[in-house]
Amino acid sequence: MKWYEKVLYRIGTAIIPANIKRMMMGSGRMTVPKNANPWNIFNWLPKKYQTAHNIDLTKLQNYTAEELLELLVSVHPDVSHALHTYLRMGETEMTFTADNEGAQTTIDALVDMMNTPLPSPGYQVGRELAKLDGVQRMMVMVRGACAGEVVLNEQCNDVVDIVPVDPMLIWFRRRPDDQRLEPWQYVRFPKYDQADQGGEWFGQYKKIDTPTFIYEELDPMVDDPYGRSPILPVLQIVFFHLQVLQDIKAVVHNQGYPRMDVKILEEVILKNMPAQFKADPNAQRNWLSGKLTEYQNLFSSLNPDDAMIHWDSVEVKYVEGMRGPAIDIEKLIDVIDTQLATALKTLLTMLSRHQGSTETYSSVDTQIYIKTVESARNVTKRFWSRAFSMAARVKGVQTRVDVDYAPIDLRSENEQQGDLKARIENVESADSNFYITPEEAAIEIRKALGLDADIPPELVEKLKNKHEQPETPTQENPSVPPTPPPSANSRMRLDSSGDNQDSQDNQNEEQFIALYLALMRHVRDEAKHAMSLEGIKASMSIRDGIQHQLSRGLYQLYRNTYVDSYNARARAKGTSLIRNPDAQTSLELQLQANQIAKDTTDTYMRELNNAWNEAVDFTSELEAEEQLSRVRQMMQQWADERMDYKSSQIAQHEAADAYHQGMFAHDTVHAPDTTYGVEPTTTEHEACADIIAGAPYTLDRAQTLTLPLHPNCPHRFVPID
């Protein structure tokens, strides 16, 4: 809004009488608390969860669906755990952003107001935004919607509070004239004289058709304003689960334990019957029933450690239950658990059920679950956006408030730091290869670090000059001061004779070897946490982040070796030194590093798969737990042996390639007539022997030949001056 529009808006809101504003929006709270009791009797709020353990779970059909879900989140272990996990997963920081800078101060003041207790001499329930957001997110899961009201002061020009409302109490009806929806709230205990409460009433329903009331639903059907609870399907599964548990209980009582079989010998009893009963059938029947009852009471009253003492007219033995179940109870329970997890929109792992899953599927399941939590949070985001936008307009500020949550991140702190480092390195690589400008790289890195994206003025000039290279002393430009000699601790530089070339190459190779070993040890150590055979192979696989770091290490090896080789020839010929390869060469070296990193990764994965198959086959006759331990040990030993020779092999081969590129690049411009020999001059490899025998070579010919020829090949071209 322009300044004069703001003035006109505030003048208009000041001129409109308060009673007109109350008719439009209502002052104070229009909705009624769920447990409000205006009669001033029996108004103690019960602690209903104190008696939750007394609820008969076999009679849940007597409740409504809303009451059942509210009950199950307190008494059913799986439903309660699923809701608990959902709420904890979604507890990330909220941000409130106005669509114009002038309104942000007002929004920040509203946030501070909500996080500050109401001024009152008596007790006030906490109303922190994090707490209210937790309530609203729980309502979305249990009720399928969230509702609330922006409470205004008497003058209707300021906001007093934002209160949640139970969506279960909200009913909608359509106006007959324009078919617009009108919300009504069910009030359990209205006042006898409803006129005292204000507003429009219809029995126990109060009309709350005001813009300060907000209702947001989850996944509604067409023309259905109420929304759908995502966990509503769990009711049928819970009923079935309880019935199965009752059946299992009955079976366990009947067949799970041995029972006494007491046999009363009728023939012996009849022989000992008194004579006065033998002639009368009715008396005989009564006497026998009495003896049977006597024996029943006798054996029923025995304690588990009592000895059984009886006449020989009684035989006692035990009847054993079924030796094998008629159905597989464990598989039935697994099916029920799967249905519970599906109905609760959660994962079996979240319910502490582990039925086995590959790492790939587990990762996909986790991502889907995070999307489920985020989709439910979209409902509360819409609620808070509408509530704060309304509150700002009441204060005379026209704006739209965007509400967002911090992303759900399940990574450990070390994983986060590793991913952050890889992200920064990607940006730096794009900058060094001239894909983006230094200013763009700085903005992206500052965002990744959580800093203000605006670059401080004192850094702008440095970024502009980042890629500029200082002049180097040449014979044509003797006015440039010579480069000072390196210190003892600095990297060794090639002298004019090139005697230190091997030392410099070794240093470049050692730097790459150290990086390679660190990366491979990290991959190897991942197997310690694997809980399955497939998990061992998956954990030891090279992921994109490791491959990227390997590519970056190869590029540094190429770059340093190229520069050192080029400068060695420059000193020998008295030509200009370089600090960095030119842009085209840098790009070629980067692409070469990317390809070698990919080839190295592919080779590693093939060898890993072969080694894993051999380890699994070798240990196939062991018990599962012992096999897992043995395979883990064998794979880590394989990784240790492989990384030692592979690191040196890759470093030596790739350093030799970069050495040739730097030397040939210099001589192509400054010494095109140079000829080249091969060192060392002895070999047992036939192909290498042929190249040695064909020396010396011209520059053009040397560039068409390949050295090194094979792994651990020590041969290189050397200039013959």
Side-chain angles (χ1 to χ4, degrees):
M1 293 178 66
K2 300 184 181 300
W3 67 269
Y4 53 84
E5 292 176 331
K6 295 181 181 179
V7 172
L8 292 175
Y9 180 82
R10 291 178 180 175
I11 292 175
T13 55
I15 293 176
I16 297 176
N19 61 336
I20 301 298
K21 295 180 186 177
R22 285 193 287 272
M23 291 174 60
M24 296 170 57
M25 296 186 292
S27 62
R29 180 170 180 175
M30 301 295 292
T31 56
V32 180
K34 180 179 180 180
N35 45 25
N37 187 345
W39 298 343
N40 203 27
I41 57 174
F42 306 116
N43 51 6
W44 293 90
L45 300 184
K47 297 181 179 180
K48 54 185 177 181
Y49 302 123
Q50 284 188 334
T51 58
H53 62 284
N54 294 328
I55 295 173
D56 187 356
L57 296 180
T58 63
K59 299 180 180 179
L60 294 178
Q61 292 85 346
N62 299 331
Y63 299 87
T64 65
E66 291 91 347
E67 292 171 338
L68 276 174
L69 290 178
E70 185 176 355
L71 180 65
L72 288 175
V73 298
S74 300
V75 301
H76 194 278
D78 290 332
V79 180
S80 174
H81 187 67
L83 180 64
H84 174 84
T85 304
Y86 158 79
L87 292 175
R88 302 294 82 78
M89 181 81 74
E91 284 181 351
T92 58
E93 184 180 0
M94 298 173 60
T95 56
F96 300 82
T97 307
D99 62 358
N100 58 79
E101 296 182 0
Q104 188 61 46
T105 303
T106 302
I107 300 304
D108 293 340
L110 286 170
V111 173
D112 292 339
M113 180 201 73
M114 290 301 300
N115 289 326
T116 304
L118 282 168
S120 172
Y123 171 76
Q124 286 290 340
V125 178
R127 58 171 186 172
E128 290 80 5
L129 280 173
K131 176 182 176 181
L132 296 182
D133 182 65
V135 173
Q136 297 293 55
R137 287 188 293 108
M138 181 169 62
M139 288 295 100
V140 172
M141 201 68 172
V142 179
R143 306 289 195 220
C146 65
E149 181 186 0
V150 180
V151 183
L152 308 183
N153 62 359
E154 281 293 329
Q155 291 73 32
C156 297
N157 59 4
D158 201 359
V159 176
V160 178
D161 202 357
I162 301 176
V163 295
V165 178
D166 191 345
M168 182 180 71
L169 305 177
I170 304 302
W171 293 80
F172 290 92
R173 75 176 187 179
R174 292 194 180 274
R175 290 161 49 101
D177 52 353
D178 58 4
Q179 297 299 308
R180 186 173 65 84
L181 290 172
E182 285 182 345
W184 294 69
Q185 182 186 13
Y186 172 77
V187 181
R188 185 178 181 185
F189 301 112
K191 284 186 177 180
Y192 179 76
D193 186 359
Q194 294 177 346
D196 294 343
Q197 294 192 131
E200 183 179 345
W201 288 78
F202 182 81
Q204 290 182 265
Y205 293 85
K206 181 183 180 182
K207 183 178 179 180
I208 48 174
D209 189 14
T210 168
T212 57
F213 174 74
I214 302 168
Y215 187 101
E216 287 290 341
E217 67 280 1
L218 173 68
D219 298 337
M221 301 292 285
V222 176
D223 293 332
D224 178 17
Y226 294 104
R228 295 183 297 119
S229 170
I231 64 172
L232 186 61
V234 81
L235 296 181
Q236 297 298 328
I237 308 302
V238 167
F239 295 152
F240 179 67
H241 190 200
L242 294 176
Q243 291 171 355
V244 170
L245 291 179
Q246 289 173 1
D247 293 343
I248 294 176
K249 177 182 177 181
V251 171
V252 170
H253 282 182
N254 189 268
Q255 300 290 337
Y257 305 98
R259 293 178 298 155
M260 283 194 302
D261 179 15
V262 181
K263 179 180 179 181
I264 301 175
L265 303 179
E266 185 178 4
E267 182 181 356
V268 176
I269 294 296
L270 290 175
K271 286 181 180 180
N272 292 282
M273 181 186 297
Q276 65 268 27
F277 298 129
K278 292 182 179 181
D280 186 353
N282 291 330
Q284 181 180 1
R285 187 182 307 108
N286 293 335
W287 188 83
L288 288 174
S289 298
K291 296 299 291 184
L292 184 62
T293 302
E294 178 185 346
Y295 281 117
Q296 286 178 340
N297 294 335
L298 172 65
F299 284 99
S300 298
S301 62
L302 285 175
N303 293 318
D305 56 348
D306 288 345
M308 288 185 292
I309 303 174
H310 54 84
W311 300 104
D312 59 0
S313 59
V314 177
E315 293 182 0
V316 180
K317 64 180 180 179
Y318 283 93
V319 177
E320 295 185 359
M322 295 177 59
R323 293 187 177 274
I327 61 173
D328 192 337
I329 300 298
E330 185 176 353
K331 290 184 178 179
L332 176 61
I333 295 299
D334 286 344
V335 171
I336 295 175
D337 288 342
T338 303
Q339 291 294 310
L340 272 174
T342 304
L344 291 170
K345 308 299 185 292
T346 186
L347 309 178
L348 285 171
T349 305
M350 300 293 185
L351 296 178
S352 300
R353 310 290 204 278
H354 304 284
Q355 294 184 6
S357 178
T358 64
E359 183 176 351
T360 301
Y361 282 117
S362 297
S363 177
V364 172
D365 288 344
T366 303
Q367 292 300 319
I368 293 175
Y369 182 72
I370 291 176
K371 290 295 183 182
T372 301
V373 177
E374 290 177 343
S375 67
R377 293 199 307 188
N378 287 336
V379 180
T380 55
K381 285 167 63 174
R382 296 198 302 268
F383 170 83
W384 290 117
S385 177
R386 290 178 58 185
F388 273 79
S389 298
M390 169 61 68
R393 288 195 291 271
V394 169
K395 286 178 166 290
V397 178
Q398 286 294 319
T399 185
R400 182 183 180 278
V401 181
D402 292 325
V403 181
D404 202 0
Y405 293 89
I408 299 173
D409 196 344
L410 303 182
R411 298 171 299 169
S412 66
E413 185 175 352
N414 289 337
E415 290 174 331
Q416 293 179 22
Q417 292 298 323
D419 291 345
L420 176 61
K421 181 179 179 182
R423 180 180 175 185
I424 293 176
E425 289 176 349
N426 285 335
V427 176
E428 291 176 342
S429 176
D431 174 26
S432 62
N433 292 318
F434 301 96
Y435 298 139
I436 59 177
T437 65
E439 291 81 1
E440 292 173 333
I443 292 173
E444 290 299 320
I445 292 176
R446 290 179 67 84
K447 289 180 180 178
L449 295 175
L451 303 175
D452 185 0
D454 294 335
I455 303 174
E458 60 270 18
L459 298 180
V460 173
E461 192 64 30
K462 293 181 179 180
L463 289 172
K464 290 181 179 179
N465 301 328
K466 179 178 179 180
H467 290 312
E468 293 184 4
Q469 297 184 10
E471 294 184 83
T472 48
T474 63
Q475 295 176 356
E476 294 81 6
N477 189 12
S479 61
V480 178
T483 304
S487 64
N489 295 328
S490 65
R491 297 172 66 244
M492 294 181 62
R493 290 291 179 185
L494 298 174
D495 58 21
S496 58
S497 63
D499 292 339
N500 292 328
Q501 179 70 52
D502 290 340
S503 299
Q504 185 58 59
D505 288 349
N506 289 338
Q507 189 176 41
N508 293 334
E509 293 174 21
E510 288 171 1
Q511 291 175 352
F512 173 78
I513 290 173
L515 171 66
Y516 182 88
L517 292 177
L519 295 176
M520 291 299 103
R521 289 192 186 102
H522 174 76
V523 172
R524 176 203 62 188
D525 292 342
E526 288 293 306
K528 297 178 181 178
H529 310 293
M531 303 303 295
S532 66
L533 296 177
E534 288 288 347
I536 292 176
K537 183 169 69 171
S539 64
M540 294 184 68
S541 300
I542 294 181
R543 298 172 180 83
D544 292 342
I546 300 295
Q547 182 175 327
H548 168 76
Q549 295 184 60
L550 180 61
S551 173
R552 183 171 177 80
L554 282 167
Y555 174 73
Q556 293 297 330
L557 173 64
Y558 288 154
R559 178 187 172 281
N560 293 340
T561 306
Y562 179 96
V563 171
D564 292 335
S565 176
Y566 186 101
N567 287 342
R569 292 296 292 157
R571 290 188 177 90
K573 294 296 184 179
T575 56
S576 301
L577 304 178
I578 63 171
R579 289 196 176 184
N580 296 291
D582 58 54
Q584 180 62 31
T585 303
S586 295
L587 177 59
E588 293 174 355
L589 293 177
Q590 182 65 67
L591 294 176
Q592 184 178 344
N594 293 343
Q595 184 60 46
I596 296 300
K598 183 180 182 303
D599 294 343
T600 301
T601 300
D602 293 342
T603 302
Y604 172 87
M605 293 302 297
R606 288 195 300 270
E607 295 179 3
L608 170 67
N609 189 63
N610 294 335
W612 183 83
N613 288 332
E614 292 178 2
V616 172
D617 292 341
F618 183 77
T619 60
S620 59
E621 297 182 358
L622 300 178
E623 295 292 334
E625 186 174 351
E626 184 179 358
Q627 183 186 21
L628 179 65
S629 176
R630 180 59 177 155
V631 169
R632 182 187 290 113
Q633 180 182 359
M634 293 175 66
M635 293 304 298
Q636 289 182 325
Q637 182 178 358
W638 168 83
D640 287 337
E641 294 173 353
R642 185 186 186 281
M643 72 174 68
D644 287 336
Y645 74 83
K646 272 292 181 182
S647 59
S648 299
Q649 186 182 95
I650 296 172
Q652 183 181 25
H653 191 280
E654 302 309 320
D657 196 18
Y659 158 79
H660 289 141
Q661 293 182 56
M663 178 177 64
F664 292 152
H666 174 274
D667 290 351
T668 298
V669 176
H670 301 288
D673 297 331
T674 303
T675 57
Y676 303 90
V678 179
E679 291 185 356
T681 57
T682 58
T683 183
E684 297 179 357
H685 198 279
E686 183 176 352
C688 292
D690 291 341
I691 292 182
I692 294 173
Y697 298 101
T698 63
L699 174 61
D700 293 338
R701 177 58 178 158
Q703 288 179 298
T704 64
L705 300 175
T706 300
L707 279 182
L709 275 174
H710 55 84
N712 300 319
C713 177
H715 298 97
R716 296 186 181 185
F717 290 111
V718 293
I720 302 174
D721 293 325

